[in-house]
Amino acid sequence: MSPDNERHTLNKSNGSAFIRPAQRMEMLPEYVFGRLNAEKQRRRAEGIDIIDFGMGNPDMPASTDAIDKIREVLDDDKAHRYSRATGIPHLLRAVADHYKFAYGVDLDSESEIISTIGSKEGLSHLSLALLGPGDHCVVPEPYFPVHMWSAVIAGAGVTTIPVTDNAADMIKALGQLDEPPKALYLNYPHNPTGTTVDLPFFEEMVDWCRKHSVILVHDFAYKDITFDGYRAPSVLQVPGAKEIAVEFFTMSKSFNMAGWRCGFCMGNPRIIALLSRIKAFFDYGMFTPIQVAAIISLRKNTDEVRELARKYETRRDVLLNGLARAGWHIPSCSGAMFVWAPIPEPWRAMGAYRFAEWLLDEAEVLVTPGTGFGEAGEGYVRMSLVENTHRIRQAIRQIHRAMRQIPP
């Protein structure tokens, strides 16, 4: 028997036993949005009208200006070639102008800003650029999955500490570690809890990170989705922050461009250079028409962003007030597009995942179990404000009807 025939016989006899995942795959949990989303799609295919508060996937369209611009640029044959991987110069300058106007922050568009294919891609590749076996980072919990698992995939050790809006509490938790971490991941307004902070919080955290030579990575995805007159600060507003910090911003939520995959990392030039270097081995950057459309949005749509935040605030109020009338009292928050809801006492013993399944079965409403954001999420579910007010009121009625039942 020839070697080729022998290999064919071996593989055939063993089926797919030779296909084995990398060891890192054994550390990864099922992605939080996977199983319940699949169940939602199955039920919708059967004609069941599931109201979706699951994934934070904006239901409103991008601006007319952005859509018109991308159609225009699509007609340019040159726009279909590989783009400049770090972002076209006009886009990076538009980001710098945006940060100067919004936060008074000066950024060098060539050395302190890089475009990313959404912030999730950028955060993942940054972890690969900064962390490896033997390194250690800290992630507040509950956490958005990429903050935790990008570090794990990179081979780093991860310690979680509680999410808080109090810098003294966070510094106390960090001080209880055996040694300072290499990196600290922050995310305000926070996903999933909606926790918000003011600039003095960042001033204290930047001061602590500088003293202990800790890299600070801030995910600022919800910077414009704020309520009740609150305005979220940028960590880069703190004097000296660029010595140790970078910040991620995405067009996904502020400009309803989630599917366009357009984001940026800004701050420390050494970290930006490292991210650029590793990304060079993985991608060729964003599609040029998307970058040009992003320039238009950054320069022209300030009023639309404010109106978008007002719509989310109205949705939040409708949901919280309606559920309160049904007997489900949920604390309000001033940022992000989510409601972080403690499970009502009669159902709390079910746990987050079973309660989410129960709502799907009995109320035909999809929510995300808090355990998808770490063990500290047990006892909570996250509701995304991605349905219009009519649908939210419908969901309230269905949840109210379900909650009249005796808990299983």
Side-chain angles (χ1 to χ4, degrees):
M1 182 181 294
S2 71
D4 286 343
N5 287 338
E6 185 176 352
R7 280 195 298 271
H8 176 75
T9 301
L10 177 64
N11 291 344
K12 185 176 180 180
S13 64
N14 289 344
S16 60
F18 69 98
I19 302 175
R20 296 185 299 276
Q23 188 175 3
R24 69 176 64 88
M25 296 298 293
E26 299 175 6
M27 298 183 288
L28 300 181
E30 182 177 20
Y31 194 58
V32 59
F33 304 110
R35 192 188 311 171
L36 285 174
N37 270 340
E39 184 63 17
K40 174 195 71 176
Q41 295 297 345
R42 185 188 70 79
R43 297 186 191 208
R44 282 183 170 175
E46 294 176 353
I48 301 172
D49 182 20
I50 301 298
I51 299 175
D52 188 1
F53 292 156
M55 188 174 180
N57 193 4
D59 62 308
M60 293 172 274
S63 72
T64 301
D65 290 334
I67 293 170
D68 288 345
K69 177 56 68 172
I70 199 170
R71 285 174 175 155
E72 175 188 329
V73 181
L74 282 170
D75 289 332
D76 182 352
D77 292 344
K78 294 180 181 177
H80 295 258
R81 304 177 70 183
Y82 292 129
S83 186
R84 186 172 182 251
T86 57
I88 59 177
H90 286 298
L91 175 59
L92 301 183
R93 284 196 289 271
V95 174
D97 291 343
H98 175 75
Y99 258 67
K100 181 65 174 177
F101 172 79
Y103 305 107
V105 172
D106 290 308
L107 291 166
D108 182 273
S109 61
E110 287 301 307
S111 65
E112 296 179 335
I113 308 174
I114 185 173
S115 67
T116 60
I117 306 174
S119 59
K120 189 175 177 182
E121 173 271 314
L123 282 158
S124 299
H125 283 145
L126 183 64
S127 290
L128 289 175
L130 294 178
L131 303 171
D135 291 326
H136 177 241
C137 70
V138 169
V139 178
E141 185 181 2
Y143 48 74
F144 185 59
V146 72
H147 301 150
M148 161 69 80
W149 299 108
S150 65
V152 171
I153 290 169
V158 183
T159 297
T160 61
I161 61 175
V163 170
T164 179
D165 60 359
N166 187 303
D169 289 343
M170 183 165 285
I171 290 171
K172 181 179 178 181
L174 290 166
Q176 292 173 348
L177 303 177
D178 291 337
E179 60 182 25
K182 184 174 184 181
L184 169 65
Y185 289 72
L186 298 179
N187 167 216
Y188 296 100
H190 186 257
N191 177 12
T193 68
T195 302
T196 55
V197 297
D198 294 318
L199 189 59
F201 175 94
F202 283 136
E203 289 171 346
E204 292 189 56
M205 296 314 304
V206 166
D207 183 58
W208 186 88
C209 288
R210 290 173 68 189
K211 285 180 180 177
H212 294 86
S213 301
V214 174
I215 297 166
L216 196 163
V217 180
H218 183 227
D219 184 356
F220 205 21
Y222 299 93
K223 74 183 191 69
D224 296 304
I225 312 302
T226 58
F227 319 130
D228 308 318
Y230 168 74
R231 184 183 179 194
S234 163
V235 72
L236 299 179
Q237 289 176 268
V238 179
K242 284 193 288 185
E243 294 177 22
I244 47 88
V246 290
E247 184 166 82
F248 281 90
F249 160 55
T250 171
M251 305 291 287
S252 294
K253 307 309 191 300
S254 301
F255 298 95
N256 289 327
M257 295 170 68
W260 300 46
R261 308 316 299 134
C262 180
F264 313 95
C265 182
M266 299 144 294
N268 180 273
R270 172 62 177 153
I271 298 175
I272 297 299
L274 289 171
L275 179 56
S276 175
R277 183 178 175 187
I278 198 163
K279 276 173 59 64
F281 290 91
F282 284 96
D283 67 71
Y284 285 108
M286 281 186 286
F287 188 35
T288 297
I290 292 175
Q291 297 190 60
V292 177
I295 295 171
I296 299 301
S297 290
L298 286 166
R299 289 179 173 169
K300 296 184 64 175
N301 295 319
T302 303
D303 291 339
E304 290 188 24
V305 172
R306 292 196 186 101
E307 178 59 27
L308 177 67
R310 284 192 287 269
K311 288 181 179 178
Y312 281 123
E313 184 172 3
T314 298
R315 293 177 178 188
R316 178 204 63 174
D317 293 343
V318 169
L319 181 60
L320 293 185
N321 292 336
L323 290 178
R325 290 193 296 272
W328 188 355
H329 298 279
I330 301 168
S332 184
C333 63
S334 296
M337 53 190 288
F338 310 107
V339 166
W340 185 242
I343 299 171
E345 183 58 42
W347 290 267
R348 194 160 298 168
M350 296 173 66
Y353 196 91
R354 283 189 59 225
F355 180 71
E357 288 184 316
W358 182 81
L359 279 180
L360 190 60
D361 289 336
E362 301 299 329
E364 296 177 351
V365 173
L366 177 67
V367 300
T368 304
T371 45
F373 307 98
E375 293 180 4
E378 183 57 88
Y380 293 83
V381 294
R382 193 194 73 174
M383 302 181 185
S384 299
L385 301 170
V386 293
E387 296 272 14
N388 62 40
T389 53
H390 170 75
R391 295 278 284 171
I392 290 172
R393 291 188 176 96
Q394 180 184 345
I396 291 166
R397 290 192 295 271
Q398 293 171 195
I399 292 171
H400 192 184
R401 183 177 66 244
M403 290 176 65
R404 290 172 181 160
Q405 305 174 31
I406 298 173

